[in-house]
Amino acid sequence: MNAAPPFATDPDRVVFDRTELGSILTVYGRFVAAGEWRDYAMSFLRDAAVFCVFRHAAEHPLYRIEKRPKLRNAQGLYAVIAMDGRILKRGHDLAQVLKVFDKKLIRAID
């Protein structure tokens, strides 16, 4: 007997599809390799799918990457939100929204 995929029985939940999750995990992997990030968590709610990034497991998330379908026709489906609640980037294209992290990975070498 095959088990149903997670959330297949609850179409009201917002989830990241495989392509979206792949893009997010690519950015996450780059920061893990650089020693900046160490943990993540995902939440799938009725109004949003949220991917949280942590420096240490026992703290507040550094960033939240959110998918909110209700904002699709307004500000954009995707957003990157900082720990203090500031929206760093919002838009309709996940790849463009994730580019906000490109600047954060570049550091001066002494």
Side-chain angles (χ1 to χ4, degrees):
M1 179 178 204
N2 290 340
F7 307 114
T9 58
D10 191 355
D12 292 333
R13 292 203 186 271
V14 178
V15 297
F16 292 111
D17 65 31
R18 185 177 300 226
T19 304
E20 294 165 334
L21 198 53
S23 296
I24 293 168
L25 288 172
T26 297
V27 171
Y28 176 78
R30 287 178 27 222
F31 278 85
V32 168
E36 296 290 321
W37 297 349
R38 292 188 176 52
D39 202 5
Y40 71 89
M42 291 188 284
S43 298
F44 303 110
L45 311 169
R46 292 194 180 280
D47 61 340
V50 182
F51 186 97
C52 296
V53 176
F54 298 86
R55 185 171 318 218
H56 302 288
E59 64 179 24
H60 295 288
L62 294 173
Y63 302 101
R64 292 188 332 261
I65 301 165
E66 295 187 354
K67 174 183 178 181
R68 293 188 177 269
K70 288 186 179 179
L71 297 178
R72 177 180 290 124
N73 296 325
Q75 300 100 336
L77 185 65
Y78 305 103
V80 173
I81 302 168
M83 184 182 341
D84 60 3
R86 287 178 299 129
I87 297 172
L88 302 178
K89 184 96 172 167
R90 182 178 296 222
H92 301 283
D93 179 21
L94 180 59
Q96 290 298 316
V97 171
L98 292 175
K99 284 187 178 184
V100 73
F101 292 116
D102 289 350
K103 294 178 268 183
K104 297 190 180 310
L105 195 58
I106 300 170
R107 288 181 293 213
I109 299 173
D110 295 321

